[in-house]
mmCIF file of all heavy atoms in Angstrom:
data_model
loop_
_atom_site.group_PDB
_atom_site.id
_atom_site.type_symbol
_atom_site.label_atom_id
_atom_site.label_comp_id
_atom_site.label_asym_id
_atom_site.label_seq_id
_atom_site.Cartn_x
_atom_site.Cartn_y
_atom_site.Cartn_z
ATOM 1 N N TYR B 276 32.979 -27.511 28.232
ATOM 2 C CA TYR B 276 32.557 -27.055 29.554
ATOM 3 C C TYR B 276 32.048 -28.223 30.388
ATOM 4 O O TYR B 276 32.287 -28.283 31.612
ATOM 5 C CB TYR B 276 31.469 -25.980 29.432
ATOM 6 C CG TYR B 276 32.010 -24.635 29.011
ATOM 7 C CD1 TYR B 276 31.944 -24.209 27.687
ATOM 8 C CD2 TYR B 276 32.619 -23.792 29.946
ATOM 9 C CE1 TYR B 276 32.448 -22.983 27.301
ATOM 10 C CE2 TYR B 276 33.131 -22.562 29.565
ATOM 11 C CZ TYR B 276 33.047 -22.155 28.240
ATOM 12 O OH TYR B 276 33.558 -20.939 27.862
ATOM 13 N N ARG B 277 31.365 -29.161 29.765
ATOM 14 C CA ARG B 277 30.910 -30.340 30.500
ATOM 15 C C ARG B 277 32.114 -31.114 31.035
ATOM 16 O O ARG B 277 32.128 -31.552 32.183
ATOM 17 C CB ARG B 277 30.060 -31.245 29.598
ATOM 18 C CG ARG B 277 28.739 -30.621 29.168
ATOM 19 C CD ARG B 277 27.783 -31.673 28.644
ATOM 20 N NE ARG B 277 28.299 -32.402 27.491
ATOM 21 C CZ ARG B 277 28.125 -32.024 26.227
ATOM 22 N NH1 ARG B 277 27.462 -30.898 25.960
ATOM 23 N NH2 ARG B 277 28.596 -32.754 25.229
ATOM 24 N N HIS B 278 33.122 -31.284 30.193
ATOM 25 C CA HIS B 278 34.320 -32.006 30.608
ATOM 26 C C HIS B 278 35.050 -31.249 31.716
ATOM 27 O O HIS B 278 35.552 -31.852 32.671
ATOM 28 C CB HIS B 278 35.255 -32.210 29.410
ATOM 29 C CG HIS B 278 34.672 -33.129 28.370
ATOM 30 N ND1 HIS B 278 35.238 -33.262 27.113
ATOM 31 C CD2 HIS B 278 33.608 -33.953 28.386
ATOM 32 C CE1 HIS B 278 34.516 -34.131 26.411
ATOM 33 N NE2 HIS B 278 33.529 -34.561 27.169
ATOM 34 N N PHE B 279 35.132 -29.936 31.577
ATOM 35 C CA PHE B 279 35.846 -29.127 32.567
ATOM 36 C C PHE B 279 35.189 -29.243 33.945
ATOM 37 O O PHE B 279 35.874 -29.494 34.961
ATOM 38 C CB PHE B 279 35.874 -27.663 32.128
ATOM 39 C CG PHE B 279 36.499 -26.739 33.138
ATOM 40 C CD1 PHE B 279 37.876 -26.586 33.203
ATOM 41 C CD2 PHE B 279 35.709 -26.036 34.037
ATOM 42 C CE1 PHE B 279 38.454 -25.750 34.148
ATOM 43 C CE2 PHE B 279 36.271 -25.186 34.974
ATOM 44 C CZ PHE B 279 37.651 -25.045 35.033
ATOM 45 N N PHE B 280 33.874 -29.055 34.015
ATOM 46 C CA PHE B 280 33.179 -29.099 35.303
ATOM 47 C C PHE B 280 33.258 -30.490 35.931
ATOM 48 O O PHE B 280 33.377 -30.624 37.151
ATOM 49 C CB PHE B 280 31.719 -28.675 35.137
ATOM 50 C CG PHE B 280 31.540 -27.200 34.903
ATOM 51 C CD1 PHE B 280 30.759 -26.741 33.854
ATOM 52 C CD2 PHE B 280 32.156 -26.268 35.729
ATOM 53 C CE1 PHE B 280 30.589 -25.378 33.634
ATOM 54 C CE2 PHE B 280 31.996 -24.899 35.519
ATOM 55 C CZ PHE B 280 31.215 -24.456 34.466
ATOM 56 N N GLU B 281 33.200 -31.539 35.094
ATOM 57 C CA GLU B 281 33.297 -32.887 35.634
ATOM 58 C C GLU B 281 34.703 -33.147 36.168
ATOM 59 O O GLU B 281 34.885 -33.799 37.203
ATOM 60 C CB GLU B 281 32.931 -33.914 34.558
ATOM 61 C CG GLU B 281 33.009 -35.358 35.018
ATOM 62 C CD GLU B 281 32.021 -35.712 36.111
ATOM 63 O OE1 GLU B 281 31.187 -34.853 36.488
ATOM 64 O OE2 GLU B 281 32.082 -36.850 36.604
ATOM 65 N N ALA B 282 35.719 -32.628 35.488
ATOM 66 C CA ALA B 282 37.094 -32.769 35.970
ATOM 67 C C ALA B 282 37.276 -32.061 37.305
ATOM 68 O O ALA B 282 37.941 -32.577 38.210
ATOM 69 C CB ALA B 282 38.072 -32.218 34.938
ATOM 70 N N CYS B 283 36.674 -30.903 37.437
ATOM 71 C CA CYS B 283 36.729 -30.163 38.712
ATOM 72 C C CYS B 283 36.129 -30.997 39.839
ATOM 73 O O CYS B 283 36.684 -31.080 40.940
ATOM 74 C CB CYS B 283 35.974 -28.844 38.600
ATOM 75 S SG CYS B 283 36.768 -27.596 37.567
ATOM 76 N N ARG B 284 35.006 -31.616 39.565
ATOM 77 C CA ARG B 284 34.328 -32.413 40.585
ATOM 78 C C ARG B 284 35.178 -33.610 41.010
ATOM 79 O O ARG B 284 35.323 -33.903 42.199
ATOM 80 C CB ARG B 284 32.971 -32.898 40.068
ATOM 81 C CG ARG B 284 32.128 -33.609 41.129
ATOM 82 C CD ARG B 284 30.916 -34.270 40.519
ATOM 83 N NE ARG B 284 31.267 -35.427 39.700
ATOM 84 C CZ ARG B 284 31.546 -36.626 40.193
ATOM 85 N NH1 ARG B 284 31.549 -36.829 41.490
ATOM 86 N NH2 ARG B 284 31.847 -37.626 39.384
ATOM 87 N N LEU B 285 35.748 -34.290 40.025
ATOM 88 C CA LEU B 285 36.540 -35.473 40.326
ATOM 89 C C LEU B 285 37.805 -35.123 41.107
ATOM 90 O O LEU B 285 38.174 -35.817 42.049
ATOM 91 C CB LEU B 285 36.898 -36.198 39.029
ATOM 92 C CG LEU B 285 35.726 -36.836 38.257
ATOM 93 C CD1 LEU B 285 36.191 -37.326 36.900
ATOM 94 C CD2 LEU B 285 35.115 -37.964 39.063
ATOM 95 N N LEU B 286 38.485 -34.056 40.727
ATOM 96 C CA LEU B 286 39.717 -33.662 41.401
ATOM 97 C C LEU B 286 39.473 -33.184 42.825
ATOM 98 O O LEU B 286 40.327 -33.310 43.695
ATOM 99 C CB LEU B 286 40.433 -32.587 40.587
ATOM 100 C CG LEU B 286 41.065 -33.096 39.286
ATOM 101 C CD1 LEU B 286 41.460 -31.949 38.390
ATOM 102 C CD2 LEU B 286 42.265 -33.977 39.590
ATOM 103 N N GLN B 287 38.301 -32.621 43.078
ATOM 104 C CA GLN B 287 37.950 -32.175 44.423
ATOM 105 C C GLN B 287 37.363 -33.321 45.250
ATOM 106 O O GLN B 287 37.101 -33.161 46.431
ATOM 107 C CB GLN B 287 36.934 -31.016 44.342
ATOM 108 C CG GLN B 287 36.627 -30.322 45.654
ATOM 109 C CD GLN B 287 37.787 -29.524 46.211
ATOM 110 O OE1 GLN B 287 38.743 -29.242 45.495
ATOM 111 N NE2 GLN B 287 37.705 -29.158 47.484
ATOM 112 N N GLN B 288 37.195 -34.484 44.620
ATOM 113 C CA GLN B 288 36.630 -35.663 45.275
ATOM 114 C C GLN B 288 35.241 -35.362 45.847
ATOM 115 O O GLN B 288 34.914 -35.722 46.985
ATOM 116 C CB GLN B 288 37.560 -36.179 46.382
ATOM 117 C CG GLN B 288 38.912 -36.638 45.877
ATOM 118 C CD GLN B 288 39.788 -37.205 46.979
ATOM 119 O OE1 GLN B 288 39.547 -36.985 48.154
ATOM 120 N NE2 GLN B 288 40.819 -37.932 46.578
#
Side-chain angles (χ1 to χ4, degrees):
Y276 285 99
R277 294 197 300 271
H278 293 168
F279 176 83
F280 287 130
E281 180 64 4
C283 289
R284 186 190 70 80
L285 293 171
L286 289 167
Q287 188 68 16
Q288 297 183 343

